Amino acid sequence: MTPLLQLDNVHVHFPGHRGLFAPAPPPFRAVDGVSLTIARSEILGLVGESGCGKTTLSRAIMQLLPVTSGRILMENRELSALSPADLRRARLDFQMVFQDPYASLNPRLTIFSTLAEAIHARRPALSGPSLHSEVTTLMDRVGLPSSAAARYPHEFSGGQRQRIAIARALAPQPKLLLADEPVSALDVSIQSQILNLLLDLRRELDLTMLFISHDLGVVRFLADRVAVMQSGQIVESGSADTILSHPQHPYTQSLLAAAPGLSRLASPPETIPPSH
């Protein structure tokens, strides 16, 4: 079966900053040859320390950053080869949930307007009672009362705002959800609620997810497969049980040894190979 998302030797480089009289340094290789596939209905957890390139990779998938080289294919269509109009239509099939929902929600729009705008991206003709019904359905799906539709983002807690952000991402009826550290800023009890919500949504909507996190406990709870990223490269990947119970790469072993409650799963940490 053709994977829903395929990354083929993807590089994302940023130019070095040149001094007034100094030669330009070599480019910074934020993503350095990543190849991954995500099957339909699968949750792939992408883990690694801050600064390893996880967010850059997600933004490249969303076509928010240009790819230096390599290919990103959604349902076997190379995204960078699409025209701007075709890309806008294709992007309805893959949506993103960001780490900070307050920063990603328009503070001037009510929740109804936020969700209606996202619904109109795929169904611009929907209006009146049908639009209200769709907004109500979305809010119910993420565990928010429809009575909250007239409120603004600042009137909600962090966990509620993340539910709104998830509802907005679901509004265009995507096939793939990219979640970039969506629970890292939330209390532990709220984290578990959001993670259970994501699992419910995967089951109800047959969603595929790329879940990005530095928290191995979260990834162990949620993901079917895990890819470990270090210095812009994937150093180890496999089933979540295999990677988190029997890590082979020294970097993965060190991540597990440093994770509260997971250190018993890891082999003794070894020296991490120097980054390139």
Side-chain angles (χ1 to χ4, degrees), residues 107-157:
R108 296 176 179 271
L109 294 182
T110 65
I111 303 314
F112 179 87
S113 297
T114 295
L115 297 182
E117 182 179 66
I119 291 167
H120 280 151
R122 188 179 290 276
R123 291 168 287 173
L126 201 65
S127 63
S130 296
L131 180 60
H132 279 78
S133 175
E134 187 65 24
V135 169
T136 298
T137 298
L138 277 172
M139 295 186 70
D140 181 65
R141 180 160 276 150
V142 300
L144 290 171
S146 58
S147 58
R151 294 159 60 186
Y152 291 85
H154 72 271
E155 300 180 71
F156 295 87
S157 68

Side-chain angles (χ1 to χ4, degrees), residues 79-103:
L79 298 180
S80 61
L82 299 178
S83 68
D86 286 341
L87 179 59
R88 280 194 298 273
R89 286 189 290 270
R91 194 179 272 132
L92 298 176
D93 287 333
F94 52 100
Q95 294 289 304
M96 192 162 183
V97 177
F98 296 90
Q99 179 177 4
D100 183 358
Y102 193 66

Side-chain angles (χ1 to χ4, degrees), residues 154-225:
H154 72 271
E155 300 180 71
F156 295 87
S157 68
Q160 289 172 324
R161 284 197 290 264
Q162 197 58 285
R163 290 175 185 270
I164 296 165
I166 292 170
R168 183 185 60 180
L170 295 176
Q173 302 174 336
K175 300 172 182 177
L176 172 68
L177 199 65
L178 285 77
D180 185 7
E181 300 274 10
V183 299
S184 63
L186 305 177
D187 294 339
V188 173
S189 60
I190 306 301
Q191 284 187 7
S192 63
Q193 294 175 21
I194 298 299
L195 293 174
N196 279 306
L197 171 62
L198 291 174
L199 286 174
D200 289 343
L201 292 172
R202 191 265 288 267
R203 183 177 61 253
E204 295 169 9
L205 303 176
D206 198 29
L207 273 176
T208 305
M209 296 186 204
L210 173 62
F211 187 90
I212 298 170
S213 181
H214 65 276
D215 188 327
L216 296 174
V218 166
V219 170
R220 185 185 189 193
F221 177 79
L222 192 72
D224 303 307
R225 286 193 305 123

